[in-house]
Amino acid sequence: MIRLEMGHIFIKDIQFAAESKIEDGVLYVSEEAVKEIVLEDEKIKSVKFDIARPGESVRITPVKDVIEPRVKVEGRGGVFPGVIAKVDTVGSGKTYALKGMAVVTAGKIVGFQEGIIDMTGPGADYTPFSKLNNFVVVCEPVEGIKQHDYEKAVRLAGFRVAVYLGELARELTPDETKVYETYGVMEGKEKFPNLPRVAYVQMLQSQGLLHDTYVYGVDAKKTLSTIMNPTEVMDGAIVSGNCVSACDKNPTYVHENNPVVHDLFEQHGKTINFVCQILTNENVYLADKMRSSDWTAKMCRFLDLDAVIVSQEGFGNPDTDLIMNTKKIEAEGVKTVIITDEYAGRDGKSQSLADADPAADAVVTGGNANQVIVLPKLDKVIGTLDYVNTIAGGNEHSLREDGTIEVEIQAITGATNETGFNYLSAR
């Protein structure tokens, strides 16, 4: 048996202070200490910090990543293995998480595929991150830096800050504790002989050119489909490194708190036997797509699964991977339910996915990313509005003279998330 104890420490506010600490649910942050951590990377010229609280008239853009601070208190390894901590297999022991807050990294990486987080107004209703106390890290690169080097510098800076803040909780007593237990293949079959065997197939964005996800520090496009214990993600085994459309990318926060994993654990030992998590990638070449989907289907059969949930990340090209996975897994006699989102046009009348098949007959949608919204002018912007017109989901007329912004919800971070980490549903 593999057992992970997750301790939750609830953060109700963040404040700048001379000393970093957590006291009575308030996270106090030393600006000098985090500045030193960010500027360890010579590719970052300067950094600014800010705090955005739920309900404040604040807009954060362009958003790169959202990260929940965690600390490994007992057990093997540390958080973000292969990226910050050493390459140890994680997912067991005891981990603490700072709930109700996040580290948000911001700054122009590519200028058209970062996102917007509004802390109030109609935009806030579409992003789960408007409900958090956000510690925002805005990085400016040195002159002449290439985009992929800038992305890496900001990505790692965010993780270093999150680890620093998480470490403040090491000696605290959690406000809440949850325990997650998983079993080996035979052990689980003996323990739950009459329960259907279910796994989670998670497709990871890995199309390259700033479309990357990392597993234990390895770029997912360089991997074959593989099996992982679902508790490993809770220790940061999967992290985001991509700059794809904000609405359906999985920020690191989503990997750490993947709702598919948590929902399956809720039913584990009751209505299902949650066997494992299968990771597969989304590549651009047909041969790679065929190889990865073949391996995914092969694993589903090898594990004698009865059903899987398949979640996608992104849209368009990855729709092919989604349908390939579904067709091949169903052909092995394993039932599938897929989670995706739609690009059905502003009127909702276009074809929702770029590919389709009769085997994909059980679908959960995260919403239509082309839906248009008008965001009001807010009192404060953390970051800059310079890229609102070019952001995915925007156009040359998005930023209006009165300060309002007309965009598709594609521009809002997490609006149509394909793990279900969002607020949209369909009737």
Side-chain angles (χ1 to χ4, degrees):
M1 181 183 74
I2 296 172
R3 185 178 192 273
L4 178 66
E5 191 176 304
M6 280 295 310
H8 296 165
I9 289 142
F10 295 109
I11 302 299
K12 60 189 179 187
D13 192 21
I14 305 173
Q15 296 178 20
F16 288 114
E19 177 193 358
S20 295
K21 60 182 178 179
I22 299 169
E23 207 168 73
D24 298 326
V26 178
L27 171 62
Y28 297 94
V29 183
S30 163
E31 207 165 347
E32 283 305 310
V34 285
K35 184 177 181 180
E36 191 175 318
I37 288 167
V38 172
L39 295 182
E40 284 176 16
D41 195 322
E42 59 188 18
K43 297 183 186 70
I44 298 175
K45 178 175 69 177
S46 63
V47 61
K48 291 180 181 177
F49 304 101
D50 216 322
I51 297 163
R53 300 173 180 88
E56 291 183 339
S57 184
V58 174
R59 172 167 295 135
I60 312 168
T61 188
V63 171
K64 164 75 172 72
D65 199 7
V66 185
I67 309 156
E68 184 173 77
R70 298 190 168 192
V71 59
K72 197 82 190 149
V73 178
E74 290 177 12
R76 189 175 172 188
V79 291
F80 309 127
V83 179
I84 300 296
K86 291 181 180 178
V87 188
D88 284 315
T89 301
V90 294
S92 61
K94 186 184 293 186
T95 302
Y96 292 169
L98 303 190
K99 308 303 289 186
M101 65 86 54
V103 173
V104 176
T105 51
K108 174 200 176 262
I109 309 293
V110 294
F112 62 87
Q113 289 200 294
E114 291 85 20
I116 298 170
I117 296 174
D118 279 2
M119 301 303 291
T120 191
D125 294 337
Y126 285 88
T127 174
F129 306 116
S130 64
K131 313 302 184 289
L132 303 176
N133 291 292
N134 292 311
F135 185 76
V136 189
V137 182
V138 184
C139 298
E140 285 296 321
V142 295
E143 299 299 323
I145 191 172
K146 289 186 167 31
Q147 289 168 320
H148 63 275
D149 288 328
Y150 183 17
E151 184 280 323
K152 182 179 181 180
V154 175
R155 170 171 24 112
L156 295 179
F159 297 146
R160 291 198 303 274
V161 170
V163 166
Y164 169 79
L165 297 179
E167 193 67 38
L168 301 175
R170 182 177 289 278
E171 304 301 327
L172 299 182
T173 301
D175 299 304
E176 171 187 86
T177 299
K178 293 192 175 183
V179 176
Y180 302 91
E181 294 178 348
T182 49
Y183 305 93
V185 174
M186 290 306 296
E187 187 183 11
K189 194 169 180 64
E190 290 165 6
K191 191 169 181 65
F192 309 118
N194 300 316
L195 295 181
R197 297 168 57 76
V198 177
Y200 171 35
V201 175
Q202 184 175 10
M203 295 168 51
L204 303 177
Q205 178 56 253
S206 57
Q207 294 173 281
L209 295 175
L210 301 171
H211 289 50
D212 303 304
T213 304
Y214 296 86
V215 182
Y216 280 89
V218 178
D219 190 331
K221 70 173 171 285
K222 298 178 180 178
T223 66
L224 290 165
S225 302
T226 190
I227 298 170
M228 199 164 78
N229 193 296
T231 55
E232 293 174 57
V233 297
M234 301 180 196
D235 280 332
I238 304 176
V239 300
S240 172
N242 67 59
C243 299
V244 296
S245 287
C247 63
D248 56 13
K249 70 178 281 183
N250 290 328
T252 298
Y253 191 104
V254 172
H255 290 299
E256 294 172 286
N257 295 282
N258 191 310
V260 181
V261 169
H262 285 274
D263 287 354
L264 288 173
F265 265 122
E266 282 294 318
Q267 296 303 314
H268 184 46
K270 300 172 187 174
T271 61
I272 63 167
N273 173 10
F274 184 14
V275 177
C276 67
Q277 188 167 350
I278 297 172
L279 303 181
T280 187
N281 53 25
E282 300 173 352
N283 283 321
V284 290
Y285 294 111
L286 182 59
D288 293 326
K289 293 176 184 294
M290 293 177 70
R291 183 187 302 110
S292 292
S293 54
D294 281 348
W295 276 60
T296 301
K298 177 175 67 175
M299 285 179 182
C300 291
R301 180 68 280 149
F302 181 74
L303 292 166
D304 284 328
L305 299 176
D306 295 301
V308 297
I309 294 175
V310 185
S311 73
Q312 181 183 10
E313 184 176 9
F315 69 99
N317 187 295
D319 293 351
T320 305
D321 303 82
L322 177 68
I323 298 303
M324 276 188 174
N325 282 317
T326 304
K327 283 172 60 177
K328 292 177 183 180
I329 294 169
E330 286 270 355
E332 293 289 353
V334 181
K335 295 183 184 301
T336 62
V337 174
I338 65 176
I339 313 175
T340 181
D341 65 350
E342 304 170 51
Y343 286 76
R346 293 188 169 198
D347 59 2
K349 295 180 180 178
S350 299
Q351 181 173 316
S352 294
L353 296 175
D355 199 357
D357 190 87
D361 60 356
V363 183
V364 178
T365 176
N368 177 19
N370 297 134
Q371 179 184 331
V372 177
I373 188 171
V374 176
L375 304 176
K377 182 180 181 179
L378 298 183
D379 295 340
K380 179 179 176 181
V381 174
I382 301 176
T384 176
L385 294 176
D386 290 352
Y387 307 100
V388 166
N389 286 356
T390 53
I391 210 165
N395 61 67
E396 59 184 356
H397 304 298
S398 284
L399 184 58
R400 298 166 167 177
E401 287 186 11
D402 63 359
T404 60
I405 301 170
E406 182 182 330
V407 287
E408 296 178 355
I409 61 171
Q410 184 180 174
I412 298 174
T413 302
T416 63
N417 184 271
E418 294 162 292
T419 68
F421 200 87
N422 68 335
Y423 293 119
L424 289 174
S425 62
R427 292 182 181 176

